[in-house]
Amino acid sequence: MLELKKLSKTYKNGVKALNGINLTISQGEFVYIIGSTGSGKSTLIKIIDGEEVPTSGRCEVIGINVGKLKHSKVPIYRRNIGVVFQDFRLLEAKTVFENIAFALEVINAPKSLIRKRVREVMNLVGLDDKGHSFPNQLSGGQQQRVAIARALANRPMLLIADEPTGNLDPEMSNDIMTLLEKINREEQTTILMVTHDRELVNRHLKRTITLDSGHIKSDVLGGGY
Amino acid sequence: MANFFRRVTRHLKEGFWGVIRHGSMSISSISAVTITLLIIGVFLIFSINVDNITKDIEESVAIVAIVSFDYEEQTELDRIETSAKAISGVNDVIFSSKDQEWEYYQNLYETEETAAIFGPFQDVNPMHHAFQIEIENGDKIEEIATGIEAIDGIDSVEYGGASAVMLVSALNSIRYGGFVLVMAVSALAIFLIANTIKLTIYARHKEIGIMRNVGATNGYIRSPFVIEGMIIGFIGAIIPVTLCVFGYIYVYDLLGGVFLTEMFVMIPPHPFVLLLVAILSGTGILVGLVGSFFSVTKYLRWKR
Ligand SMILES: Nc1ncnc2c1ncn2[C@@H]1O[C@H](COP(=O)(O)OP(=O)(O)OP(=O)(O)O)[C@@H](O)[C@H]1O
Ligand SMILES: [Mg+2]
């Protein structure tokens, strides 16, 4: 479902963030991407999300050549994937409920369905009582969970999460991991998760890809840190 | 159809909420619209009135050509009429016989006494045949008068004279100047409003990026912003429209419908004020729409 071929990205300022990445991920896989800071993890995710365009090589997701998408088609492509960003990217002027609902409104879902699904995912991430709060009234960990709930709302085929447990205490991290595993298992959602959390990677063993200054250093099934 | 309706309702709701949620930004945009529409409104009232007055006076500036006694045969009259019509800038040539002229002249002073005075002379008509020359506009009055006087058989021409011509040309300058000014002020105003909207939208460019992140198409993102812009334009137009309409009605009544002299007749408030309402609120809404459309489009391009 995801195929990267000789993918390279050089930013305008000359930084070579990715260098000839080859990678194939199948439907239903759960994959960690680890690596030291600045190794290119977020860049990889931005390319898969269509936010950055590869300098060379190819990024294909569910048969779509993401780098070649027209500007106006990028959002439509994104309806197939859910992304949890490192910086959350919540709409400050909207409540938690509205933030999550927005991902469904843009695909013009009926109101009753939206209400039902939003309650579902809020319950899933354990935020039942925060529907009317605004993002700036929440802790970092709570905002992160809102971001996860929003990414899950329209049942994406691929869920990408950039450090979804970065701001959570170990217990909460564990809950989130259990949640992601459940989604992966029950909805066959492919999950791509960037993390720095050694302990978590070692406790929940999965295929682990290690990035090092833009290269894939290792790609181990059931790897660990 | 249900889908379309649902989407429109959502955009309208978002647009209204946007105005309220971004209260301080909305207020600055609304103020920009209010101030500029006020300026446009005042200039508009002034220049439309000047335009109207100029046209009135131009219409009243007609040339009367007096036919010499030696050229009163029908063939001669026909020839004179044809020649006059051929002169450029002449709209129409109307024949007025000496009898009509005499009657008109007597009626001019019709009282018991004048009737008594003219009575005995009814049959000794001292008047000439005449042509009334209607012209396109006052600019060329002198030129046309000279041309007509040169026609064989014309004794003399009469028209408002140099002062009328000067007045018409002065009014024309004011009229054109006024319109240039209205255009310039409008352009400036629209620029000011668009810029304010751009700033307020800049503050939300992150929001626009996030909308794209969760799968909102450009059109979907634009709609509430554009509706917001239109609402702001409409709200911004309320004060200028009210002030201009009631201000004009008040001034009109105060001055008795004329400006400075009886010659400058103001446009009656009804239905003129309706035109003002339409132009001002239309401009406000349109500028809000265009300003926000282009601003959002600009920030949409920023992020993939
Ligand atoms: N927009 C950008 N413009 C220029 N350089 C960038 C940009 N984004 C990232 N970089 C650079 O590209 C390299 C890879 O950055 P990236 O964000 O992908 O790292 P990362 O692996 O996600 O790091 P972290 O673990 O700190 O999140 C870094 O050297 C970074 O400075
Ligand atoms: Mg990163």
Side-chain angles (χ1 to χ4, degrees):
Chain A
M1 80 151 334
L2 185 148
E3 193 164 3
L4 309 179
K5 275 187 198 146
K6 294 187 194 156
L7 186 74
S8 295
K9 174 71 189 179
T10 309
Y11 283 108
K12 280 203 194 82
N13 59 2
V15 177
K16 287 191 168 176
L18 293 176
N19 224 324
I21 302 279
N22 289 306
L23 180 64
T24 305
I25 294 175
S26 325
Q27 179 71 50
E29 273 195 275
F30 196 133
V31 181
Y32 292 125
I33 295 176
I34 60 171
S36 54
T37 197
S39 58
K41 306 181 297 294
S42 292
T43 303
L44 182 67
I45 282 180
K46 284 176 186 165
I47 287 176
I48 297 171
D49 186 40
E51 193 176 328
E52 295 287 352
V53 182
T55 316
S56 66
R58 200 178 150 85
C59 168
E60 207 175 284
V61 182
I62 49 170
I64 296 167
N65 187 347
V66 181
K68 287 280 181 287
L69 281 172
K70 281 209 298 197
H71 184 271
S72 60
K73 296 286 179 234
V74 173
I76 295 167
Y77 154 72
R78 285 185 182 140
R79 292 173 187 181
N80 302 298
I81 63 178
V83 185
V84 183
F85 295 95
Q86 205 165 0
D87 53 357
F88 318 140
R89 302 196 188 173
L90 299 174
L91 294 164
E92 296 296 331
K94 287 184 187 286
T95 63
V96 167
F97 187 97
E98 289 165 339
N99 260 286
I100 301 170
F102 191 71
L104 296 167
E105 282 172 9
V106 298
I107 55 172
N108 214 7
K111 208 168 179 172
S112 54
L113 195 145
I114 292 179
R115 210 172 281 161
K116 183 165 157 279
R117 180 63 183 159
V118 174
R119 294 233 176 83
E120 243 169 60
V121 288
M122 278 177 40
N123 179 267
L124 212 59
V125 297
L127 280 175
D128 301 87
D129 52 343
K130 293 290 182 204
H132 295 294
S133 307
F134 286 93
N136 62 8
Q137 299 167 335
L138 300 178
S139 72
Q142 288 168 328
Q143 290 184 44
Q144 196 137 37
R145 281 186 279 157
V146 178
I148 293 170
R150 182 181 63 185
L152 290 174
N154 62 356
R155 304 177 201 276
M157 293 201 251
L158 171 65
L159 180 71
I160 303 169
D162 200 348
E163 304 215 31
T165 59
N167 292 280
L168 307 180
D169 57 38
E171 201 180 331
M172 194 63 227
S173 300
N174 226 20
D175 289 352
I176 292 289
M177 265 317 285
T178 315
L179 168 65
L180 292 180
E181 284 178 324
K182 184 177 154 205
I183 293 158
N184 174 243
R185 193 175 54 243
E186 288 179 3
E187 314 226 355
Q188 284 300 297
T189 305
T190 312
I191 296 181
L192 199 59
M193 175 171 158
V194 169
T195 184
H196 272 127
D197 192 337
R198 277 164 198 279
E199 214 189 308
L200 187 139
V201 171
N202 288 331
R203 187 145 16 90
H204 306 259
L205 292 177
K206 316 260 179 221
R207 178 180 172 190
T208 307
I209 294 161
T210 313
L211 280 184
D212 183 22
S213 44
H215 296 277
I216 292 185
K217 193 172 144 197
S218 67
D219 181 351
V220 192
L221 273 175
Y225 226 102
Chain B
M1 195 60 212
N3 273 354
F4 175 76
F5 191 69
R6 188 157 64 219
R7 200 179 141 168
V8 170
T9 324
R10 253 170 211 159
H11 289 325
L12 282 174
K13 206 182 103 206
E14 284 286 326
F16 275 102
W17 267 111
V19 176
I20 293 164
R21 269 183 182 156
H22 308 95
S24 58
M25 292 197 292
S26 301
I27 287 171
S28 61
S29 301
I30 289 171
S31 315
V33 176
T34 300
I35 290 164
T36 49
L37 285 187
L38 259 180
I39 297 170
I40 291 179
V42 170
F43 275 105
L44 206 61
I45 289 175
F46 183 73
S47 62
I48 293 181
N49 266 291
V50 169
D51 185 51
N52 198 51
I53 289 169
T54 314
K55 277 185 188 143
D56 276 356
I57 293 178
E58 268 179 8
E59 268 166 28
S60 69
V61 179
I63 301 171
V64 179
I66 315 282
V67 180
S68 162
F69 284 135
D70 303 334
Y71 290 84
E72 291 189 346
E73 274 152 44
Q74 192 56 46
T75 49
E76 297 288 0
L77 294 175
D78 288 346
R79 180 184 53 77
I80 291 169
E81 189 172 338
T82 319
S83 314
K85 272 185 178 155
I87 291 172
S88 91
V90 171
N91 256 356
D92 203 4
V93 177
I94 300 152
F95 178 69
S96 173
S97 74
K98 53 166 51 178
D99 293 338
Q100 282 169 321
E101 291 286 301
W102 185 220
E103 202 181 317
Y104 174 76
Y105 185 73
Q106 290 181 39
N107 287 346
L108 217 54
Y109 304 99
E110 196 182 19
T111 59
E112 295 279 316
E113 293 102 88
T114 52
I117 295 168
F118 285 126
F121 302 104
Q122 227 16 285
D123 298 330
V124 259
N125 182 351
M127 305 302 277
H128 291 257
H129 285 312
F131 287 100
Q132 273 178 18
I133 319 288
E134 280 181 9
I135 58 177
E136 267 166 24
N137 62 56
D139 283 352
K140 292 193 228 147
I141 190 164
E142 221 152 353
E143 207 178 300
I144 295 167
T146 319
I148 287 172
E149 197 163 12
I151 297 172
D152 205 19
I154 294 294
D155 193 55
S156 61
V157 294
E158 285 170 11
Y159 62 97
S163 58
V165 176
M166 269 165 64
L167 181 62
V168 167
S169 78
L171 284 172
N172 263 328
S173 322
I174 295 176
R175 169 160 70 158
Y176 293 129
F179 273 117
V180 169
L181 218 58
V182 166
M183 288 302 153
V185 169
S186 307
L188 198 75
I190 287 160
F191 180 77
L192 174 66
I193 298 170
N195 212 44
T196 311
I197 291 177
K198 202 166 89 187
L199 288 180
T200 63
I201 293 184
Y202 173 75
R204 290 156 72 185
H205 72 281
K206 242 180 87 181
E207 189 179 330
I208 294 172
I210 294 172
M211 290 180 180
R212 278 182 62 86
N213 278 325
V214 299
T217 56
N218 294 345
Y220 196 98
I221 296 169
R222 242 188 317 244
S223 307
F225 280 99
V226 167
I227 288 168
E228 216 178 300
M230 289 166 73
I231 293 170
I232 281 168
F234 177 75
I235 295 176
I238 291 175
I239 292 175
V241 163
T242 314
L243 283 182
C244 285
V245 167
F246 290 103
Y248 188 75
I249 293 173
Y250 176 76
V251 170
Y252 186 87
D253 288 344
L254 193 73
L255 299 179
V258 291
F259 183 66
L260 294 176
T261 87
E262 295 288 330
M263 202 163 34
F264 296 163
V265 181
M266 292 170 74
I267 302 170
H270 302 286
F272 176 59
V273 292
L274 294 180
L275 181 74
L276 281 181
V277 173
I279 292 180
L280 291 182
S281 48
T283 308
I285 292 170
L286 193 73
V287 167
L289 186 156
V290 172
S292 46
F293 183 90
F294 283 110
S295 303
V296 186
T297 303
K298 186 182 161 201
Y299 295 120
L300 276 173
R301 297 251 168 78
W302 267 23
K303 264 211 133 123
R304 220 173 111 80

